[in-house]
Amino acid sequence: MRHDDPRLPTSPGFWRSPVRGTWFTSVLGLVLLAGITVLFVTGLLSYAAYNPDLAAVNDQTPDKGILGFYLFAWPTNPSWLYRATQGLHVTLGITLIPVLLAKLWSVVPKLFTLPPARSLAHALERISLLLLVGGGLFEFTTGVLNVQLDYLFPGSFYPLHFYGAWVFFAAFLAHAALKTPAALRAVRERRQDEAELAPPRPDAPTVSRRGALRFVSGASLLLLVTTAGQSIGGALRRTALLAPHGGADPGSGPNGFQINKTAAYAGVDPKETGEEAWRLVVTGPDGRTVRLSRPELLRLPQHSAALPIACVEGWSTADQWWRGVRLRDLAALVGYDDDPPDVLVESLQRHGAFRRGALRANQVADPRSLLALQVNGEDLSPDHGYPARVIVPAAPGVLNTKWVARMTFGDL
């Protein structure tokens, strides 16, 4: 068969939908231009929130090189910062899925155009399109799987999503630089067709282009409504049907709020957390060490803070009322009376990522940063980190280490 045979996708006659056209594609492209830019920026902020350049235990993407040029010490104010940026990242990403799919559908005939390269410039454009389409599908797919806690892809989510984002966004910027001026003209002038997008022999229309856009918008709105509640919380959490923590709060009472890992999943043996067995080991300069039982911790000055927990999957809790010992007071016990340093926190957790986590000096110094012993007026439950857990304002959930066993203060 010849490549222009209408039975083949390489032929313009194969594609018959009258919805395809410059105006339709341009509207979708401009929406993605704004949305994906926000996704990229909030994704970079999410990575920075882990303080990956502080210690190797925080860095799930080694050898990032110059891609970490923008990293900065993650702040503790406002306390809901990570909750807002990561909630926006995940919710917007899911909401844009219908727009992305519609945009790919609108330009799919161009992917089959022959010859594959008419010139060097055309060849470069086709390569950038492959990176753009492949990168976009990869980033959205891995992101959705991570939100659903389904790790079907090989390797760790963190480096895959991080490096994939840079490849995708580089191709996206190149494509935007080439196409945005034309897209703006098409929308402004309401140009409907162009030979390379509109079919030469369209079928009879069953829906208008505006109707198709309304359908895409409705699909995005549906995804927004069934996702956003996981990061907003309250009564809206029940509407988050697509989110892993979108149902009713687990359990009831003061400890009845969201978790990612149970004590059993983390391999925490109840015998290790009993009052007779468990001791918190706090280490400072020159090996100075203090060992504290839970009753001894309770006899230290107790402080309270209302803080949420927010996770990379986009879910977050409402503010919970935590009570325990300030991290900076623990640092003072081992010799850091004035300016507390960084701290390495180690958990009883047996397996999985972030069994250890590092916190910066500014996080340790914040008066709301606690080694929490109680929440909402009751002792922590085993699944919320009994006998003690870290809670730090604006930190990703995995850095709020549960089942704390050891804290080592000093420059990391």
Side-chain angles (χ1 to χ4, degrees):
M1 291 184 181
R2 298 182 308 170
H3 66 77
D4 58 350
D5 190 308
R7 292 172 294 178
L8 295 177
T10 53
S11 170
F14 180 86
W15 310 98
R16 304 291 298 276
S17 173
V19 173
R20 289 190 178 92
T22 303
W23 180 83
F24 181 74
T25 299
S26 297
V27 171
L28 296 172
L30 292 174
V31 172
L32 288 174
L33 176 63
I36 288 176
T37 300
V38 173
L39 285 181
F40 186 69
V41 171
T42 53
L44 294 183
L45 290 175
S46 178
Y47 182 56
Y50 283 78
N51 287 318
D53 54 345
L54 174 62
V57 295
N58 287 12
D59 194 354
Q60 301 295 305
T61 55
D63 302 322
K64 58 186 175 292
I66 62 171
L67 298 183
F69 71 92
Y70 73 96
L71 293 173
F72 56 96
W74 188 251
T76 56
N77 283 306
S79 62
W80 43 261
L81 178 61
Y82 188 73
R83 180 184 184 186
T85 60
Q86 192 61 13
L88 175 61
H89 181 77
V90 171
T91 302
L92 179 60
I94 293 176
T95 302
L96 284 177
I97 288 175
V99 183
L100 176 70
L101 294 179
K103 176 66 160 60
L104 294 178
W105 173 86
S106 74
V107 299
V108 71
K110 297 183 67 175
L111 298 179
F112 292 90
T113 301
L114 294 177
R118 296 189 296 268
S119 65
L120 178 60
H122 185 242
L124 292 174
E125 181 184 355
R126 295 298 294 274
I127 292 171
S128 71
L129 278 177
L130 289 176
L131 292 174
L132 182 68
V133 173
L137 292 175
F138 178 83
E139 286 298 290
F140 277 81
T141 300
T142 54
V144 169
L145 289 174
N146 180 66
V147 168
Q148 299 298 331
L149 306 178
D150 292 328
Y151 300 105
L152 306 179
F153 39 82
S156 170
F157 165 77
Y158 296 96
L160 289 174
H161 204 65
F162 177 80
Y163 294 120
W166 280 103
V167 172
F168 167 59
F169 198 69
F172 178 75
L173 284 180
H175 185 73
L178 290 171
K179 299 297 183 181
T180 298
L184 289 171
R185 284 195 303 272
V187 172
R188 185 170 56 249
E189 299 170 7
R190 297 183 179 274
R191 287 167 44 211
Q192 297 293 332
D193 293 323
E194 186 178 282
E196 62 178 5
L197 290 177
R201 296 189 301 276
D203 286 331
T206 56
V207 63
S208 68
R209 290 189 174 99
R210 292 185 182 276
L213 283 178
R214 284 193 287 269
F215 176 79
V216 173
S217 300
S220 289
L221 180 61
L222 178 63
L223 290 177
L224 173 65
V225 169
T226 53
T227 301
Q230 69 167 345
S231 56
I232 297 174
L236 288 177
R237 190 177 299 281
R238 296 186 181 90
T239 69
L241 303 178
L242 297 182
H245 299 270
D249 292 345
S252 59
N255 280 272
F257 55 95
Q258 283 64 36
I259 57 171
N260 249 2
K261 290 182 281 195
T262 64
Y265 174 84
V268 176
D269 189 337
K271 296 178 182 178
E272 296 178 287
T273 60
E275 196 167 288
E276 294 300 320
W278 182 82
R279 296 292 184 274
L280 173 69
V281 179
V282 184
T283 303
D286 303 321
R288 181 175 175 179
T289 299
V290 175
R291 295 171 61 87
L292 298 164
S293 66
R294 199 168 189 277
E296 289 171 328
L297 284 167
L298 286 166
R299 286 195 290 271
L300 294 174
Q302 302 292 297
H303 300 271
S304 299
L307 298 171
I309 295 176
C311 276
V312 69
E313 295 89 6
W315 67 267
S316 62
T317 71
D319 283 355
Q320 309 298 320
W321 196 255
W322 307 92
R323 188 163 178 80
V325 182
R326 287 175 174 170
L327 298 187
R328 67 186 191 185
D329 291 344
L330 292 172
L333 291 177
V334 290
Y336 292 102
D337 296 314
D338 298 322
D339 297 318
D342 309 327
V343 64
L344 175 65
V345 184
E346 300 178 72
S347 173
L348 293 173
Q349 180 178 334
R350 287 286 184 271
H351 53 78
F354 295 101
R355 290 169 290 174
R356 300 186 296 163
L359 298 171
R360 286 191 183 275
N362 68 304
Q363 294 173 310
V364 176
D366 192 294
R368 297 165 296 174
S369 296
L370 304 175
L371 180 71
L373 306 173
Q374 298 175 322
V375 63
N376 299 323
E378 282 194 5
D379 287 345
L380 297 169
S381 69
D383 290 342
H384 278 298
Y386 181 89
R389 69 169 297 161
V390 166
I391 186 74
V392 174
V398 290
L399 294 183
N400 292 313
T401 308
K402 298 193 284 188
W403 313 293
V404 175
R406 177 182 292 271
M407 304 181 76
T408 304
F409 289 92
D411 295 330
L412 299 179

